[in-house]
Structure formats: C-alpha cells, structure tokens
Amino acid sequence: MTSVKQSSHFPIKWRLLDAAERVAALVWPRQLHSYTGYLLLVPALLLVFVLVIGLIYIGGYSLHELDLANYRLKESFSLTNYYTAVTSTTYRTVVLRSLYGSFLVTVITIFLAFPYAYLMVRAREAMTRKFLLISLFLPFFIGQIVRAYGWLIILGKEGLLNNIVTFFGFSPLELIYNYPAVILGLIQYMLPFAVLLLAPAITAINRDMELASESLGAHWIQTFIHIVLPMAKPGLIGSSVVVFTLTLTDFAMPEILGGGTTDFIANSIYDGFFQLSNSGLGAALSMILVTLGTAFVVVIFSIAGTGTLGFSRRSK
Amino acid sequence: MENKHPNNPSLNRRDFLTTSAMLAGGIMLGPGLAWADQKKPKEIIVRAWGGSWGDALKAGVADGFTKATGIKVRLDFTEDNEIKPKIWAAIDQGRVPPIHVNWDTTTNATISALRGVTVDLSDLSNLKGLLPLAKPVGLKGYPLVNTYAYVYVCAYRPEAFPDGPPQSWNVMLDPKFKRRVALYDDGIGFNPISVIAGGGTFKDIPDNMEPGYEFYRKLKANKPLLGEDADFTTWFQKGEIDLACTISVNARAAKQSGIDVAWTVPKEGCKVDTDGLWIPRGLPANEEYWAKEFINFALTKEAQQKWCSMLGLPPVFPGIDPPADLVGDVSYPTKPEDFEKLIRVPSKVLVENQPKWFAKFNEIFQG
C-alpha cells in the first residue's frame, strides 16, 4: 500500500511510462530481450512470406489447363502448360532471347558502371563527385517508360540521330524496334543500379593499398587487375546479380523499344495472363522465369560464395 | 421556403425546371427510369479506350447520361485485356467488381459471358428495334449488347502510294515496305484476311489457317511492326510506317489530327467486327440498375448518333445517317453490298480459335 501511495505522488508522465513498461513486459518478456534484434526481421520475413504464398498460388494455377468452353482452369491437374511452354518454339526463343539479353546487358553495364563508380568514389574534386552523383540520380527521377519514350524521340525515323544522318545526305537508319534498341534501353536503365551497388565496394578499398601497389612498381593496370578488381568482388557480384535478374524480368523496354517482335519472358507472361486469358499458361511461364532467375543466383553464389557479399562469419 | 400548399396547382420556376428535366430524362432513358426508386450512386465507372474513343463515349453517351440522371460517369482507361482478369478475380472472390460497365470487343465480352460473369441485359427497353447486329450470336439472351460495327481497314500514307490506294493486302510483302508495315500485336483484325491474302478462301477459316500462316511467314521477312491502337497513330505521325491494318477509327482520328493517312478495302476484303457493352455480376443492386440504365441510354437514337458519328462507325440503331466525311466510305458499311466486301467471323469461332491463332502468330513473329 505504501508503494502505491508513493507512486501516486509521481508525475503522470512517469506513471504512464511505468504502465507502458508493464504492457511491454507482458508482450515481450525480459527473458526474450536477447532476441530483440531478430524482432526487426519480422517485417522482412512477413514480406517474403506473402511473396511465397503468392508463388504457391501461381504454382498451383500452372498445373491446371484452360478450358476454352468456359475460360476457367480445369479442376484436374496436368503438366500441359509446362509442356506447351517447353515444346513451343516461340517460348524457347523468347527464353533464350531473354537470357542472352540479360547476359549482354549485365556484361556491358558492369563494364560501363565500374569506371563511373571508381571515378565517383576516388575523384578529388568535390564538384566532380557531385556532378557524377547528380548525373547518376537524375534518371531515377524519370521513370522507365518515359526513358523508353525518350529513346524513341532520339532514335526514331524522324528522331534526333536520323535528322543528323539525313542532314548529311545519308539514308535514315533503323535504330528502333529491334533487339539492339532493347539492349541499349536496358543498359541505360540498369547503369545507375550497377554504379550504386559498386560504389560502396570501391569505397571499402583502402586507397593506401593502391598506393602501396604503385609504390612497389606496379603499373596502374596491374594495380587495377590485382588489387582493385579482386577487392571490389562483392560489389561486382552484387551488381551482376541485380542487373541480370532485373533485366531478365523486364517488361517495358522490350514492349516499347522492341516493336512487338522482340518479347522477353515477362511480355509472354503478360500475353498469357491478359491477351490469352490463360492464367495457367501465364503462371507456368512465371514459374519458369522464377526458376531461371533463382538458378542464376544460386550458380553465381556457389561459384563466388555468399562471402563475397559479406555474409560469411568473420573470424576474430 | 417550404410549399405549405401542396395542392396549389401553380408551379414555381424551380419546380417547373425539375419536372421538365425529369420528364426529359424519362423520355431519353425509356419507361421506368424516371420514377425509379433505386438509390443513385455517386458515379458510374465505365471502362473505355482512350484518345478519340474515350472522347466519343464521353461526348456521345456519358455527358448525356449525367445530364439526364445527375450521375457522374468516370471513364476508366485500363486496357481491355487487363480489366478482364481483374473483374473475373473480383467476382470469383466475392468482391465488388472495379467497374460498372465494360466497353469491350465482342470477342472479349463473349469470353466473359462464357465464364458466366456478365449480367443479362434482356430487359433493357431500348433493345427493341435495334439492328440484328446488336444481338450477340451463339449466346443465350443478352449477356452483352453490341453497339456498332467497325472495320479493320488497310490504312496507308498516300505519299507512299502515288499510283493510288493499295489494291491487295499482298502489297505488305513488297520489299519496298520493309519495316514500314504494321499489324496488331496479336494478329487481331488480320488473321482471317491473311488466309485469303495467302491464297485460301473464307471456307478455310478456322480449320485450315495454313495459307494465312504462310502469308505471315513471308511477311516476317519484311519485319513488320506490331502494336496497339495508340501505336498506329504515333507511327503514322512519326513517319515510321506506310501501311497498317487498323480499325478505321484510328485512321480517321489520325487524319482529323492532320496526319496524311487514307484507307481502303483491298480486293481480299477487310474484317468487320463489333464492340459491345456489358455489366459484371456482383455489383450492389442499385448500382447494377443504373449501370443497366447507362447501357440503355447508350442505345437511344441520340446517343448512338452522337457517339458513333464521332467514332465514324455504323451504329446498331437503324436509320442513322453516316457522318458527312464517311458517306459512301468503304469503312462505313450500311447496305448489304457493302458487307459483301467484308469478312465477319462469328464470335464463337473467334473465341474458340483466337488463342490458337495467337500462338501461331507469336511463333512466326517472335520465333
């Protein structure tokens, strides 16, 4: 009773905080406090859980064939959609085109992004760094669709480049609605992602390591090959995985710059779900896409090891 | 001030205007509506195509409906193929569908009807007296109502054809037009024509589409562009193409906006098709009622005249004169002999075969 009497003399704020603490202790007992850090993972785990649930549903749809009599999926299970996806020359071409495109875009983007990121990190002049950073972020404010249309304006039959070409008396060039145009659009779209993933890895390389290499007589190319590249491996792996998977799943660039004849897998999925009203086939193609993307990540990590991304336990 | 003398026969100005508006609305909308006690929703959402299509629906139907009923009409420009699974999912999951009225191709609408997600419109008062074209073929009742016909014409840039309009669809195969020909990206509007252009006959459809596929294989060498309605206008505008198989509305809209485009029906003919309106199941009763009244209003002479004149398409309401610029035009069939030049494939055949045709079309052009 005494303690109650005493506590009643405490300011209201203290008493409210005490009450909040008691409620918190009920919800999250003191014995569990060592696991508090894991609690912060809950939103991420929930998000992944929702995605997995969605994927299970899609996987389920993929096992039912479309009934053209009523445009509903049949009750019976079958692998017809997978058979269609695997045996159709259309889908085989689309898958190979997507994989090859993703490979090309990844290689070219990393090749362009590395010097950009290196210069952005190592530039002595603050103005240079700011200029490179702003140039990098500016496209982020312009969506992918707008950027694709920007290419149409530049590369179109009556676009900027063709105006210059025809001004000098040459025939206009076929610069859009083909595979190279899609690859070009994707490289431009992916470049900022690659630079942003490479920059922290390059920042983590101690400048003194490069200076030490050079002071021992190494040419800058040798320093680059033997010091910078190996130490930037986590950034290279991370950006390659991100660029490859984003390209593999891209829809807008092939749709806008491809002229309708250079579809990627995502475009075929769209056609399956929306144009054909065949959610079973669309789902089967989605599962193939997820499998391909996952397989790529698994292969990369099994070759390079997850430690390249800083996931390995550090020895003391 | 409240009227304390309800039996007073004299009307003030406000009462007179209100009564007149109700009577006018009643006449426009048909019997029943003016006295309906169904609660009015704040708005009716109608899925529509954008550009000149949406403008025509707004001016021809939506504005008049709002004026008559006080209900706002919001046009939803979600792509027709994209709204379809959204509606289906909503109905399957017991949710209220995202739109009240779907302005759709008859083929797509028929697919939704086969799935059983459409409301029967047989009780609409304005169905009486419409052309037989309004009735969906091979379906029980009116799960949708066709509102006009349209033709997939051969649109061309006159500058690229100095000797006159193209006489045959085979001109698409001329190497001179490499990369300068356009089709819809699912072959819609051209699949039956390709059979005839490829040496087949109408009887070959749908069992023997090989002449059409052979035509497509040859056309592939000319690297045609594949796109949607909006793309055709852009491509003509930017000088990207010389020739396209597109709906006459797009060609006319391009011409009206100053682009040098003309159109013709080549000797092999053109495909004629219809669009329609339908209502998804699962709407609250009052909203379904007013959605029906929207469609009923769209079938009135006034609405049909204005809407279809703006589109440049022959309506299902009989006796409406074509717009001045389309009198005698091949893309505006009015007489039986006009229809002889056109090919109409029944919706049932389209619904059953379009997925196969699309798969083959894709195989040829994506392969």
Side-chain angles (χ1 to χ4, degrees):
Chain A
M1 286 298 282
T2 319
S3 64
V4 173
K5 269 186 181 175
Q6 279 176 346
S7 68
S8 67
H9 295 296
F10 292 152
I12 183 85
K13 277 184 191 171
W14 291 19
R15 277 183 281 152
L16 280 174
L17 281 172
D18 285 347
E21 260 190 16
R22 278 195 293 277
V23 172
L26 278 175
V27 177
W28 193 245
R30 191 171 290 275
Q31 299 93 300
L32 296 175
H33 277 197
S34 55
Y35 299 103
T36 304
Y38 291 102
L39 198 64
L40 299 173
L41 285 176
V42 171
L45 288 174
L46 274 176
L47 197 64
V48 172
F49 179 72
V50 170
L51 285 174
V52 169
I53 294 284
L55 208 58
I56 290 169
Y57 270 97
I58 288 177
Y61 294 154
S62 72
L63 297 172
H64 297 279
E65 194 188 347
L66 181 74
D67 186 348
L68 285 174
N70 57 14
Y71 272 80
R72 287 177 185 273
L73 296 180
K74 290 176 181 170
E75 289 287 319
S76 57
F77 288 90
S78 82
L79 292 172
T80 310
N81 294 319
Y82 287 98
Y83 181 78
T84 306
V86 171
T87 55
S88 153
T89 51
T90 312
Y91 296 128
R92 207 180 307 142
T93 308
V94 168
V95 167
L96 289 175
R97 181 187 295 139
S98 309
L99 285 170
Y100 180 59
S102 305
F103 172 76
L104 267 183
V105 170
T106 306
V107 170
I108 298 171
T109 305
I110 299 293
F111 182 76
L112 296 173
F114 201 93
Y116 195 105
Y118 187 85
L119 197 64
M120 199 173 75
V121 170
R122 292 283 190 249
R124 292 202 178 105
E125 293 288 323
M127 271 301 288
T128 312
R129 280 202 302 275
K130 278 179 192 166
F131 172 75
L132 291 171
L133 207 60
I134 290 167
S135 307
L136 184 71
F137 273 107
L138 208 60
F140 269 140
F141 302 132
I142 307 163
Q144 192 184 8
I145 306 289
V146 179
R147 268 193 268 175
Y149 274 101
W151 281 117
L152 293 185
I153 293 164
I154 295 167
L155 304 177
K157 186 72 78 184
E158 292 176 0
L160 188 68
L161 274 179
N162 267 324
N163 278 343
I164 296 168
V165 168
T166 48
F167 178 79
F168 288 106
F170 298 104
S171 307
L173 303 168
E174 301 295 342
L175 299 169
I176 48 169
Y177 305 129
N178 50 35
Y179 195 49
V182 175
I183 299 297
L184 180 67
L186 283 165
I187 290 169
Q188 193 226 16
Y189 178 58
M190 298 299 163
L191 195 66
F193 291 103
V195 173
L196 286 175
L197 285 159
L198 282 167
I202 295 169
T203 310
I205 302 169
N206 195 332
R207 181 85 174 104
D208 293 342
M209 295 286 283
E210 293 170 59
L211 292 173
S213 165
E214 281 166 21
S215 67
L216 288 168
H219 188 263
W220 72 268
I221 297 173
Q222 290 171 306
T223 304
F224 179 75
I225 292 170
H226 297 291
I227 304 293
V228 179
L229 267 186
M231 293 188 81
K233 198 174 160 191
L236 286 168
I237 300 295
S239 52
S240 299
V241 166
V242 168
V243 170
F244 188 92
T245 47
L246 282 181
T247 305
L248 190 65
T249 55
D250 197 73
F251 174 83
M253 288 296 175
E255 182 71 17
I256 298 168
L257 296 176
T261 52
T262 49
D263 281 1
F264 274 30
I265 307 174
N267 305 89
S268 292
I269 293 171
Y270 175 91
D271 288 344
F273 276 111
F274 299 108
Q275 280 195 311
L276 292 174
S277 305
N278 188 345
S279 52
L281 181 62
L285 290 167
S286 305
M287 293 306 287
I288 289 171
L289 178 59
V290 170
T291 309
L292 284 172
T294 311
F296 171 76
V297 175
V298 169
V299 167
I300 289 289
F301 282 168
S302 58
I303 293 169
T306 52
T308 53
L309 295 179
F311 290 163
S312 61
R313 192 183 292 273
R314 281 186 189 169
S315 56
K316 285 182 181 174
Chain B
M1 194 177 167
E2 197 177 307
N3 185 4
K4 289 178 183 174
H5 306 282
N7 294 327
N8 187 342
S10 65
L11 279 171
N12 63 26
R13 183 175 164 272
R14 180 171 294 180
D15 288 341
F16 174 75
L17 288 173
T18 308
T19 312
S20 306
M22 282 177 71
L23 279 170
I27 292 161
M28 292 285 276
L29 296 171
L33 178 66
W35 317 112
D37 56 358
Q38 293 283 355
K39 192 187 166 201
K40 286 182 183 178
K42 276 185 185 168
E43 62 174 9
I44 291 279
I45 305 169
V46 181
R47 194 221 69 86
W49 290 283
S52 52
W53 294 83
D55 294 343
L57 185 72
K58 186 179 180 302
V61 185
D63 288 349
F65 179 77
T66 304
K67 201 174 172 188
T69 64
I71 300 171
K72 285 181 187 166
V73 177
R74 178 151 62 94
L75 300 185
D76 177 333
F77 296 120
T78 305
E79 222 263 323
D80 55 345
N81 285 315
E82 287 172 19
I83 201 74
K84 193 169 52 180
K86 286 183 185 176
I87 295 170
W88 293 1
I91 294 169
D92 287 351
Q93 294 163 10
R95 290 185 281 116
V96 175
I99 56 163
H100 294 94
V101 177
N102 197 3
W103 182 18
D104 209 351
T105 62
T106 299
T107 308
N108 264 345
T110 304
I111 288 172
S112 290
L114 287 173
R115 201 179 156 98
V117 296
T118 57
V119 167
D120 184 44
L121 304 172
S122 302
D123 55 347
L124 294 187
S125 56
N126 290 336
L127 287 177
K128 284 171 203 158
L130 295 181
L131 295 173
L133 199 68
K135 172 87 176 76
V137 181
L139 295 169
K140 205 176 161 186
Y142 276 87
L144 61 118
V145 57
N146 294 323
T147 46
Y148 53 78
Y150 59 90
V151 178
Y152 289 92
V153 292
C154 176
Y156 63 96
R157 280 193 329 123
E159 193 188 337
F161 294 88
D163 300 332
Q167 299 299 309
S168 164
W169 285 104
N170 275 289
V171 74
M172 285 184 162
L173 307 177
D174 190 334
K176 183 168 76 170
F177 297 112
K178 192 168 186 177
R179 291 180 188 273
R180 301 200 57 81
V181 171
L183 293 178
Y184 283 97
D185 58 8
D186 48 7
I188 196 168
F190 197 72
N191 286 323
I193 299 298
S194 71
V195 174
I196 295 160
T201 63
F202 184 69
K203 285 180 184 169
D204 285 320
I205 304 164
D207 297 326
N208 176 29
M209 298 295 283
E210 195 46 41
Y213 299 149
E214 195 47 41
F215 183 86
Y216 281 148
R217 285 186 201 104
K218 287 180 192 161
L219 181 60
K220 194 192 173 187
N222 250 9
K223 303 197 171 192
L225 299 186
L226 306 177
E228 307 269 347
D229 282 327
D231 296 320
F232 293 105
T233 312
T234 310
W235 290 337
F236 272 122
Q237 196 169 21
K238 301 216 175 280
E240 298 282 351
I241 54 171
D242 293 326
L243 188 68
C245 171
T246 187
I247 297 172
S248 58
V249 177
N250 300 324
R252 187 170 175 246
K255 190 178 181 181
Q256 284 173 341
S257 63
I259 303 168
D260 188 18
V261 177
W263 54 90
T264 184
V265 174
K267 65 180 181 187
E268 295 90 350
C270 284
K271 189 187 168 216
V272 62
D273 217 327
T274 48
D275 282 344
L277 298 170
W278 60 276
I279 298 169
R281 284 200 293 110
L283 291 168
N286 68 315
E287 293 181 24
E288 182 184 303
Y289 175 88
W290 288 104
K292 275 187 171 183
E293 290 307 334
F294 177 86
I295 295 181
N296 210 26
F297 184 82
L299 299 174
T300 57
K301 186 181 182 187
E302 293 73 17
Q304 282 265 294
Q305 182 146 33
K306 197 165 184 185
W307 182 22
C308 296
S309 294
M310 283 185 78
L311 289 172
L313 298 173
V316 291
F317 197 99
I320 292 176
D321 292 330
D325 64 317
L326 292 175
V327 174
D329 194 290
V330 285
S331 71
Y332 198 101
T334 49
K335 301 183 288 292
E337 52 267 35
D338 295 335
F339 281 94
E340 279 171 17
K341 297 173 192 164
L342 305 171
I343 293 169
R344 190 175 182 212
V345 182
S347 294
K348 190 173 180 292
V349 175
L350 288 175
V351 167
E352 285 170 0
N353 291 280
Q354 223 150 248
K356 294 176 217 164
W357 297 347
F358 178 65
K360 195 70 186 177
F361 181 88
N362 242 354
E363 185 186 310
I364 293 166
F365 287 107
Q366 296 289 338

